[in-house]
Amino acid sequence: MNLKLLHRILAAVVFFISLYVYLATVQPTVSFWDCGEFIAASYYLQVPHPPGTPFFLILGNIFSKIPFVENIGLKVNLISVFSSAFAVLFLYLVAVKLINIYKGRKPENLSDAIVTYLAAAIGAFSLCFSDTF
């Protein structure tokens, strides 16, 4: 089996499992604290706090135009779902890179690749299922 293909398949599996977990647990409406303020400010492109968090507001406005979901709160909360799933994916990729740098070489056979990729996947899933992330 091609080790590069195995690496890509495992990266996709890590991303989609974390995406599924976050989609299954996303807040379906407005949650507590400042979330409602940020959702309303994203929808109307207003400034919620003095710094304004312009990138989040622009992304929130783009996500608020998703036609598949009716609730605007859920639409804007999907920003966190996708950004968190991408963060878990990038952690997996960085962990694989760091393991390869530490070992001084890329995996040469299937068993070496499985050990490297599974160790990185365990680290990424540790972030995915952690309490504070």
Side-chain angles (χ1 to χ4, degrees), residues 1 14 20 24 44 46 51 63 72 86 104 118 121 125 129:
M1 176 178 225
V14 165
Y20 174 75
Y44 293 112
Q46 296 174 341
F63 271 72
I72 294 173
F86 276 115
L118 283 181
F125 283 134
F129 296 112

Side-chain angles (χ1 to χ4, degrees), residues 30-31 33-43 46-49 57:
V30 177
S31 56
W33 297 110
D34 288 339
C35 299
E37 180 183 1
F38 277 106
I39 289 170
S42 296
Y43 185 71
Q46 296 174 341
V47 180
H49 291 302
L57 295 176

Side-chain angles (χ1 to χ4, degrees), residues 10 16 18 20 23 27 44 56 59 62 81 85-86 96 113 128:
L10 235 71
F16 285 115
S18 62
Y20 174 75
L23 279 173
Q27 179 73 22
Y44 293 112
F56 180 83
L59 276 179
I62 291 169
V81 169
F86 276 115
V96 168
C128 177

Side-chain angles (χ1 to χ4, degrees), residues 71-114:
N71 190 343
I72 294 173
L74 176 60
K75 291 178 187 181
V76 177
N77 286 337
L78 288 177
I79 295 172
S80 297
V81 169
F82 285 104
S83 63
S84 298
F86 276 115
V88 171
L89 169 67
F90 291 140
L91 177 66
Y92 168 77
L93 296 174
V94 167
V96 168
K97 190 71 156 175
L98 288 175
I99 291 170
N100 289 337
I101 289 172
Y102 178 74
K103 291 188 336 186
R105 60 182 169 76
K106 290 187 175 183
E108 298 167 354
N109 54 22
L110 184 61
S111 64
D112 193 25
I114 288 174

